[in-house]
Amino acid sequence: MTVRRLDQGGRIDRARPLNFRWDGKDLTGYAGDTLASALMANGETVLGRSFKYHRPRGIMSAGVEESGAILSVGQGARQEPNVKATMQELFEGLEARGQNAWPNVRHDLGAVNGLFGRFLAAGFYYKTFMGVPLFDWGRGTGLWMRYETLIRKAAGMGRASREPDPDQYDHAHAYCDLLVVGAGPAGLRAALTAAEAGRDVILVEQDFELGGDFLNDPATEPERAALVQSIARAGVRVMTRTTAFGLYDTSVAGLVERVTDHLSAPATYLPRQRFWTVRAAATVLATGALERSVAFGGNDRPGVMTANAGRSYLNRFGILPGARIVIATTNDSVYAAAGELTAAGAEVTIAEARAEPGCDLPSGVALRTGVAPLEAQGRGRIRALQLARSNGTGWQAAGRETCDLLLVSGGWSPVVNLASHRGVKPEWDAEQACFIAGDGDEPVYMAGSAAGVWSREACETSGVEAAKRAMGVASNPPAAGGWAAPIKPLYEVRLPGRKTKAFVDPQHDVTSSDVRLAHQEGFVSVEHLKRYTTLGMATDQGKMGNIIGLALMAEALGKEIPAVGTTRFRPPYTPVAIGALAGRNVHGHFKPLRRTPLHDWNLRQGATMTDAGLWHRPWYFAEPGETLNDAYVREATIVRETVGICDVSSLGKIAVQGPDAAEFLNRVYTNGFAKLAIGKARYGIMLRDDGMVMDDGTTWRLGESDFLMTTTTTNAGRVMVWLEELLQLRWPDLKVHLTSVTDQWAGVSVAGPQSRTVVAACLRDPDSVSHETLPFMGVARVVLRDGTEGLIARISFSGELAFELYVPANHGAAMMERLWIVAGGHKGCLYGLEALGTLRIEKGHVTGAELDGRVTIRDAGLGGMASTKKSYIGKVLQDRPELQQPDRPRLVGILPKDRSKTFNGGALLCKPEALSGFGEGWVTAVTHSPALGHWIGLGYISGGPDHWTGQPVLAADPVRGAPVEVEIVSPHMFDPEGVRMHG
């Protein structure tokens, strides 16, 4: 390629030179360049190496369909592989390098693969790596696994950084009446039409400038500029550098905005990319069309590109891409480009596949009709083009044209990918030789060349009419087409008996012979063809070779293209960075973090925090020199001996109010709530429809129609959604109102023999918590000494005399401070989740570890709470015969036979003679019990504790240690009669 940057012309800013590096060389471009255009202007011809054969590749297009100039950008932690140079905006200091080559893309030792091309055809890895056929040795998975390691090392194109991504990403949401994707002539007109009609419009463009094909034609600049100004005045929200990568249900579009990928020194507060979820009432897809090539020998050689790309580099970037140019075409679209390239100083010859062109030949352009490209010749880059002429039944050689640039136009393929995401089936238009999106059931409308409309004037009309359709106004869109003479369908040019490499998908080294091989081996479905040959996979997604591959398969099958069908395009249209998908939800922000009203107070007391669902809760309060084990054992011991205080604010709290509140709870819980007395609490179990336990908790009756339900921390949201669903869909006749009040209350559990004394000292009326005034499961309204009003319930999760005290959230720290001062006088302690777990395991109380969605109420040992006198959710299905089997896993306590040993949570409970397999049960929780003096656990085992009395059981844990002999006992291992908590 004899390339030179023109002294004038194009849209680049020659007053703003930009320095960048390519493979260690310092080069210069201009503001407005892409990396591809800057490299081209600097005479760089080989920018990449192909995937399999490591053939040299240059620039093949000027847009998102690029298959040759795929390289790595950035360095260190910001190194990004597989960047299409045609889409990378040039900026000061940009670092780029070739990939998939060693030592570099110009001299790649991997090119030796080309010598073994006959052994690397489609599916070679399936057939080659199956052992040694001569001796039938190595067949099976063993040898394949060895080969797989080598194959995986060879696979892939670039190399991602191993360092953590230092950049930030963000998520955002937007709403509009009309989303217009693509800002070419059709998209600009559609956006302006809707905005002037009063609609809220978002216009999305993946390029950094608006205009689409306007940008390739200097004569249209006044019209483009006027349209852009009108759009701004009409209030259209314009999003450049933004790609719509997918359309989803209910008119939702996924967008990725490249916020700082074009900046050399972005502000630290800006994200690198922003992931947008846009909900639009209607969508207009003015996504344009992609020019496709033709399969012929050497069509991947540097110096071969699409015709429209040559025009783009000339008119947009001010580059004459060649001195002696051949343009091979099957349609009218190249003639304007030929004239412009000639006027810029190139010697241009058009190789027209049709007998006659459909438009006037530009001055100075040579024309050869009835010929097509047969083989691009040259070493490293194109030097000449061998032509072929149709003889009626095939092709025959037709001379040779010397050239340094070959521009090819085999037709245009409308970008129907986004419409296909919504299930719109592309329909083959034989007259236009392309797939066009059919009609769908959703408000998604095609416009411009995306609808197969080729002339610029008709494209603009199409945009206006599409906007009208989106607004529900009568419209008359132009028909597909627009060329003066029909296109000549041409997909491959070859001579019988002449072996050349004609590429269908240059990115993946898929050749026309690969497609025929797939047919020969029975892979005739388009989906099988894609997977067997890798045609249209990865970043290409069928943009370059899809039509050619389908045409070749149709020829092999003796069918027409529509009979073969097309692959289903799936999102994303272009690659989306994992960082953009994650957004800000990384590290400590991976999930929403909730803090109790006592969070800061707990930290001041030295709490080590842990995650409990979305909440941060105190894990343990270590004294100087203590480990986790030391701390929780000390805390549990003190609770049993004197008193302990625990923050329980994270428990779910739902206000259930209304005249039918009691009836509603009676239907939700397995046990009766209709007659629960005012001032009383009751422990309840709720089931799913399938009879499995969903959640447990206590519900307090504060008034005739006023209840406060508490749930487990992790299931609060799920229970709230479930209850709302029941009221809205199943029992809309019930007069009940639900309100989540979790954040409105600060809650504290005070447990231990001295708990009543501590609580009483903090109340204005100490007698309000006496045994007579507040018996077990009693509820009352109380007033603290400072006048704060709250609620108190005498309930216990620890098995000790205990109270739960709730006050408004903003008074929580003051309440906690007062309780802690009093508890300190009784040698009490603060305790966290680890000690709380110890206390509840000793007592045999269940949590989410036991109620994991697989157990019934009887499995959990709570069958007595399943009422036989009323209906409730899950009642019928919990009585299924399989759930009544006597060998169902039941809740049990677990003790090591040798009390000095321990065992692990998650271990399997097995018979000694059957350590493999699923075992007889499993361990759900393990702790050291200070009250019992050894390790204990809870779990499930078939038949329950009575079935295993005196029988040997092993806790098998082959990954973490040797099996431990254990004893199966009742889950209530401490104070089974409940004397302490009723005291």
Side-chain angles (χ1 to χ4, degrees), residues 16 93 219 383 542 605 635 758 852:
R16 292 176 56 202
R383 305 283 183 177
Q605 310 309 312
E635 292 167 10
V758 171
D852 62 0

Side-chain angles (χ1 to χ4, degrees), residues 198-258:
R199 302 301 197 273
D200 182 13
V201 180
I202 294 178
L203 176 61
V204 172
E205 172 54 54
Q206 66 186 1
D207 206 339
F208 54 88
E209 279 193 283
L210 302 181
D213 199 49
F214 277 139
L215 302 175
N216 298 332
D217 187 353
T220 61
E221 176 56 22
E223 181 184 357
R224 187 202 74 87
L227 276 172
V228 171
Q229 291 177 1
S230 298
I231 280 173
R233 286 195 298 268
V236 174
R237 287 181 280 171
V238 176
M239 300 175 67
T240 55
R241 302 183 178 92
T242 303
T243 299
F245 64 81
L247 289 186
Y248 302 90
D249 292 347
T250 62
S251 296
V252 172
L255 316 178
V256 169
E257 178 187 9
R258 300 177 297 280

Side-chain angles (χ1 to χ4, degrees), residues 139 443 493 603 688 693 701 952:
R139 290 187 177 274
V493 180
L603 290 179
R688 301 191 309 238
V693 176
R701 189 162 195 172

Side-chain angles (χ1 to χ4, degrees), residues 374-394:
L374 175 62
E375 184 178 10
Q377 300 173 338
R379 187 172 181 83
R381 60 185 178 87
I382 189 170
R383 305 283 183 177
L385 175 66
Q386 176 74 49
L387 294 170
R389 185 180 300 277
S390 175
N391 59 16
T393 59

Side-chain angles (χ1 to χ4, degrees), residues 741-896:
V741 294
T742 301
D743 292 321
Q744 277 63 51
W745 295 97
V748 172
S749 174
V750 185
Q754 299 296 321
S755 59
R756 180 182 283 120
T757 303
V758 171
V759 172
C762 298
L763 303 178
R764 283 187 175 178
D765 181 8
D767 289 338
S768 60
V769 292
S770 66
H771 180 70
E772 294 73 24
T773 307
L774 192 66
F776 184 65
M777 300 302 282
V779 177
R781 299 183 185 274
V782 293
V783 180
L784 275 61
R785 286 191 176 275
D786 62 2
T788 302
E789 296 182 352
L791 297 173
I792 194 168
R794 186 179 160 189
I795 53 182
S796 176
F797 190 58
S798 60
E800 296 292 329
L801 173 65
F803 299 84
E804 286 188 11
L805 185 59
Y806 291 95
V807 297
N810 57 335
H811 293 275
M815 172 188 67
M816 192 68 153
E817 186 68 28
R818 178 62 184 170
L819 287 169
W820 179 226
I821 291 173
V822 177
H826 294 272
K827 299 182 179 181
C829 73
L830 301 171
Y831 67 100
L833 283 181
E834 197 69 23
L836 182 61
T838 296
L839 298 170
R840 71 97 184 170
I841 293 171
E842 291 176 338
K843 190 62 181 172
H845 288 165
V846 293
T847 64
E850 288 74 42
L851 307 180
D852 62 0
R854 298 180 294 171
V855 300
T856 68
I857 193 170
R858 296 181 183 91
D859 297 340
L862 301 171
M865 296 178 62
S867 175
T868 60
K869 300 178 181 179
K870 70 182 184 75
S871 296
Y872 51 85
I873 294 290
K875 180 178 183 179
V876 174
L877 291 184
Q878 75 169 351
D879 291 330
R880 285 173 287 171
E882 186 61 32
L883 300 184
Q884 309 305 312
Q885 296 296 329
D887 61 348
R888 285 276 304 175
R890 309 289 184 187
L891 184 70
V892 295
I894 307 167
L895 309 177

Side-chain angles (χ1 to χ4, degrees), residues 85-169:
T86 52
M87 296 301 294
Q88 175 60 58
E89 192 173 347
L90 192 67
F91 59 84
E92 179 69 28
L94 184 149
E95 291 255 2
R97 67 193 62 81
Q99 59 184 34
N100 198 42
W102 188 86
N104 56 57
V105 292
R106 293 170 296 284
H107 307 285
D108 177 21
L109 292 181
V112 71
N113 285 7
L115 301 177
F116 303 97
R118 62 179 299 182
F119 303 108
L120 302 177
F124 75 94
Y125 33 83
Y126 298 124
K127 292 170 284 189
T128 304
F129 302 109
M130 294 179 64
V132 182
L134 183 61
F135 305 102
D136 202 33
W137 172 83
R139 290 187 177 274
T141 60
L143 193 60
W144 165 256
M145 297 302 286
R146 295 174 182 268
Y147 285 131
E148 183 186 29
T149 303
L150 300 176
I151 293 172
R152 289 195 178 279
K153 287 183 178 180
M157 293 284 284
R159 185 179 297 274
S161 173
R162 297 277 180 160
E163 302 175 39
D165 189 344
D167 293 312
Q168 304 174 64
Y169 301 84

Side-chain angles (χ1 to χ4, degrees), residues 593-604 607 609 616-617 647:
L593 176 64
R594 301 184 70 180
R595 295 174 173 172
T596 74
L598 303 173
H599 180 86
D600 293 336
W601 190 94
N602 288 320
L603 290 179
R604 289 196 298 269
M609 309 300 285
H616 251 187
R617 293 188 65 180
D647 178 5

